[in-house]
Amino acid sequence: MRQRDLMKAVHVHVYVTLLVAGLSGSPRAALAEEAAAAEGQASVLSLEEALATAKQHNPDLAAMQARVDGARTAIRKAWSYYLPQVSLGGSWTMNSTEASLAFPNFEAGFSFTPDGSMVPNELMDMEIQKKHQLGARLEVQQPIFVAPLIPMIAQAGDGVKLAELGAETATREILFGTFQAYLFAAGLKEAINLGEEQVALIQKHARSAEAALAVDMASELQVLRAKIEVGKAEQELARTRAAYDAARGGLATLLARKDIDFEVERPTLFEGDDPEVAGELEALLERSRELRPELESTRIAQDMGARGKQAVWAKFLPTIGAGWTYTHANVQGFSGENGTWALMAYASIPLYDGGLRYAELKEADAKIREAEAQARSMRLRVRREVRQARLDIQSARANLAKAQEQVVLARANWEAVEKAFAVGASSAIELSDASTALRGAELMRISEEINLALAQVSLRKAVGLSLIPR
C-alpha cells in the first residue's frame, strides 16, 4: 500500500504542476476555447517527438548548455596565466620647467690646462627634461614556473566535465518530466473517450425512460433521476476535458510551445519485463555506478578537492619568470638615445603570509571530506532509488492485475443490470450505479497502467539507462 500511495502522490503532484503551468498567464476557459478551435485540425504528437522537442527547445536545457560553454572558458583562463603577458603604455607629462645639462662631447676630445687639469674641448647642451615630456613603454612578462597553476589547469578541466555531467543530469530530469506530463495527458485523453461513451449511454437510457413514461411504464421520478445523471456525466466530462487542456498546456511549457494545437496518444512502451533492467538488485546497482552521471560527478568533485589541496601546497614553492621592457621618450637623457630596452629574470619565494597557506590547507581538507560525504550520500540515494523503483514495479503490476479484474466484474455487472433494465426488472438508479462503477473501474485500470509505465521508466532512470528502450 505504501508504494501505491507513493505513486498516487506523485500522480497528484504531476497533475498540480501541469495545472499551474498550463493555467498561469491564461484562464482555463481560454485553453478550452483554444482546444475547441483546434479540434479536428490538431495533429498527434508522439512521445518520441515530444522528448526530442523538449531536448532541443526546453529553455532550462539551453541555460545548462550555456553554463557548459562558460565552464569551457575556464580552461582558457587558466592557461592564460602561463602565456606571455604583453602590455603597452604611454604617458604625457607637463613639467614646471625645462632642464638641461652641459655635458662633454667626447668625440671632440679633451685638453690640458697649464695647471694640468683636463677639460673638454666642446660642451653639449643635453636636455634631460622637457616642458612637455612624452613616453611609451612596451613590456613582456613570461612566467616560467608557477607551481599553483598546474593543479589549477587540471581543476578547470574537471570543472568542464562537472558542468557537462550536470547538463546531462538536467536533461534526464527534463525528459523524465516530459514523459510524465505526456503520459498523464494521454491518460486524460482516454478518460475523455470513456466519459463520452458514458454520456452517450446515459442519454440513451434517459430517452428510454422518457419513452417508458409515455406508455406509463416508468415514473416521472425515474425520468428526473435519469436527467440528473445525464447532467452529472456531462459535468464530469467537461471537467475531464478542462484537465486535459491544462495537461497539454503543461506539456507545451516543457516543449517551449506557445500553443496546445496537438493531441497525444498513449504509447506502448513495454511488452512484459524490460530485459535491460530484469537483473538482480546488485547487478543493477553495479550498472548504475557506471552509468549514473550523478555518481561520476561526485568522483570528479573528489578529484577537484584533492587538486585544490595540491594547489595550496604549490604556494610554498618559488615562482620564476622573465621579462623584457622597451621604453621610448622624446628626451634622450644620459644614454643619448630616445629608446632603451632591458631584459630581466626574477624569482620569488613566499616566506611568511600570516598563516594564510596553512588556513587554506585546513579549508582544502574540509572540502575533501565534504566531497567524500556527498559521494557516500549519492551512492546511498542511487541504491534507494533503484530498490524503490523495483518495488514500485511489483506494486504497480499487482494493482494493475486487480484493476483489470475489477473491470471484468464491473462490466459483467453492468451487462446484467442493463438486461434487467430492458425487461423492467431493475431501476434506472441501479443502471446508473452500474454504469458509474464500470467507468470508475476503467479509469482505475488506465491509472494503474500509467503507474506501471512510470515505474518502469523510473527504474531505467535510476539505473542510468535511456528512458525509452532503443
Side-chain angles (χ1 to χ4, degrees):
M1 289 297 294
R2 181 178 180 275
Q3 290 79 16
R4 183 178 181 183
D5 292 342
L6 178 62
M7 290 305 296
K8 288 185 177 179
V10 171
H11 197 90
V12 171
H13 172 72
V14 171
Y15 171 73
V16 172
T17 302
L18 292 173
L19 193 60
V20 172
L23 297 181
S24 59
S26 60
R28 180 181 298 179
L31 285 175
E33 291 175 3
E34 185 178 349
E39 188 176 358
Q41 304 177 25
S43 60
V44 175
L45 177 71
S46 68
L47 175 61
E48 291 76 11
E49 291 172 338
L51 294 176
T53 302
K55 190 173 184 179
Q56 185 176 2
H57 297 293
N58 187 275
D60 293 330
L61 296 184
M64 290 300 300
Q65 186 56 49
R67 186 175 300 177
V68 173
D69 295 339
R72 291 194 178 105
T73 63
I75 298 179
R76 179 64 179 172
K77 288 171 61 178
W79 273 108
S80 68
Y81 295 112
Y82 240 130
L83 298 177
Q85 309 293 312
V86 182
S87 61
L88 176 65
S91 64
W92 166 78
T93 305
M94 186 176 70
N95 297 300
S96 59
T97 58
E98 294 183 346
S100 60
L101 179 66
F103 200 76
N105 184 358
F106 292 96
E107 294 181 356
F110 292 82
S111 301
F112 291 92
T113 62
D115 59 0
S117 301
M118 187 174 65
V119 296
N121 294 330
E122 182 181 344
L123 293 175
M124 297 186 302
D125 191 17
M126 179 178 295
E127 187 176 37
I128 60 174
Q129 179 174 290
K130 286 188 173 184
K131 181 72 174 178
H132 296 278
Q133 196 161 313
L134 303 177
R137 181 183 179 88
L138 176 64
E139 185 173 3
V140 180
Q141 297 286 338
Q142 174 60 62
I144 296 176
F145 178 73
V146 184
L149 291 180
I150 299 174
M152 184 186 298
I153 294 172
Q155 275 187 313
D158 289 339
V160 174
K161 295 178 184 177
L162 209 57
E164 291 174 343
L165 290 170
E168 182 181 350
T169 300
T171 299
R172 291 174 61 82
E173 293 296 336
I174 293 294
L175 294 182
F176 183 68
T178 302
F179 178 86
Q180 287 180 306
Y182 188 95
L183 216 57
F184 182 66
L188 288 172
K189 180 66 179 299
E190 292 194 23
I192 289 175
N193 295 335
L194 288 176
E196 290 174 345
E197 292 176 3
Q198 186 181 31
V199 168
L201 185 61
I202 294 177
Q203 288 175 341
K204 174 184 174 183
H205 293 155
R207 289 192 296 270
S208 298
E210 290 177 342
L213 177 64
V215 295
D216 295 328
M217 294 182 63
S219 65
E220 292 184 358
L221 181 61
Q222 290 176 320
V223 174
L224 180 61
R225 178 61 189 268
K227 290 181 178 180
I228 291 175
E229 293 299 323
V230 170
K232 289 170 60 177
E234 291 175 343
Q235 186 179 23
E236 182 64 26
L237 178 59
R239 279 197 293 264
T240 305
R241 283 173 173 164
Y244 177 58
D245 293 336
R248 285 191 296 172
L251 179 59
T253 300
L254 292 170
L255 305 183
R257 288 185 59 154
K258 297 180 180 179
D259 62 90
I260 58 171
D261 186 18
F262 60 87
E263 297 292 335
V264 298
E265 59 183 2
R266 186 145 65 92
T268 302
L269 299 176
F270 306 98
E271 296 291 344
D273 292 336
D274 184 358
E276 292 189 89
V277 290
E280 297 296 328
L281 176 61
E282 292 303 323
L284 294 177
L285 290 173
E286 184 63 29
R287 294 191 69 185
S288 69
R289 284 191 282 271
E290 299 174 358
L291 299 176
R292 284 290 291 264
E294 298 94 329
L295 293 177
E296 181 64 20
S297 295
T298 60
R299 287 190 285 268
I300 292 177
Q302 289 178 280
D303 294 339
M304 292 182 69
R307 289 194 175 98
K309 187 174 182 179
Q310 293 172 3
V312 177
W313 279 115
K315 292 182 179 181
F316 287 86
L317 300 177
T319 298
I320 302 173
W324 178 82
T325 303
Y326 176 78
T327 305
H328 189 89
N330 61 347
V331 177
Q332 293 183 346
F334 293 102
S335 66
E337 297 181 359
N338 293 96
T340 59
W341 60 268
L343 180 65
M344 71 180 106
Y346 59 87
S348 65
I349 183 169
L351 298 179
Y352 181 69
D353 57 4
L356 176 62
R357 288 169 291 177
Y358 295 99
E360 289 178 342
L361 283 174
K362 292 182 179 180
E363 182 183 15
D365 287 334
K367 290 182 177 180
I368 290 174
R369 293 195 301 271
E370 179 185 0
E372 291 173 348
Q374 289 177 343
R376 291 194 299 271
S377 175
M378 182 56 67
R379 288 194 294 270
L380 291 173
R381 174 185 163 187
V382 169
R383 185 180 187 90
R384 174 178 58 81
E385 289 178 356
V386 173
R387 183 189 294 112
Q388 186 63 50
R390 283 166 56 89
L391 293 175
D392 289 341
I393 289 177
Q394 295 173 8
S395 176
R397 282 180 177 154
N399 292 335
L400 177 58
K402 289 295 182 182
Q404 290 171 337
E405 291 177 6
Q406 291 299 315
V407 169
V408 173
L409 294 175
R411 186 174 296 279
N413 176 65
W414 175 80
E415 290 175 352
V417 173
E418 187 182 39
K419 290 178 181 178
F421 180 79
V423 296
S426 65
S427 65
I429 296 177
E430 292 174 323
L431 183 61
S432 174
D433 291 341
S435 177
T436 301
L438 176 58
R439 182 175 184 272
E442 291 281 5
L443 290 176
M444 182 57 66
R445 176 187 58 79
I446 293 173
S447 177
E448 295 302 339
E449 288 174 347
I450 291 176
N451 286 341
L452 177 58
L454 284 174
Q456 290 173 313
V457 173
S458 295
L459 179 57
R460 295 183 64 87
K461 175 176 174 287
V463 174
L465 297 168
S466 61
L467 299 184
I468 299 179
R470 295 185 175 88

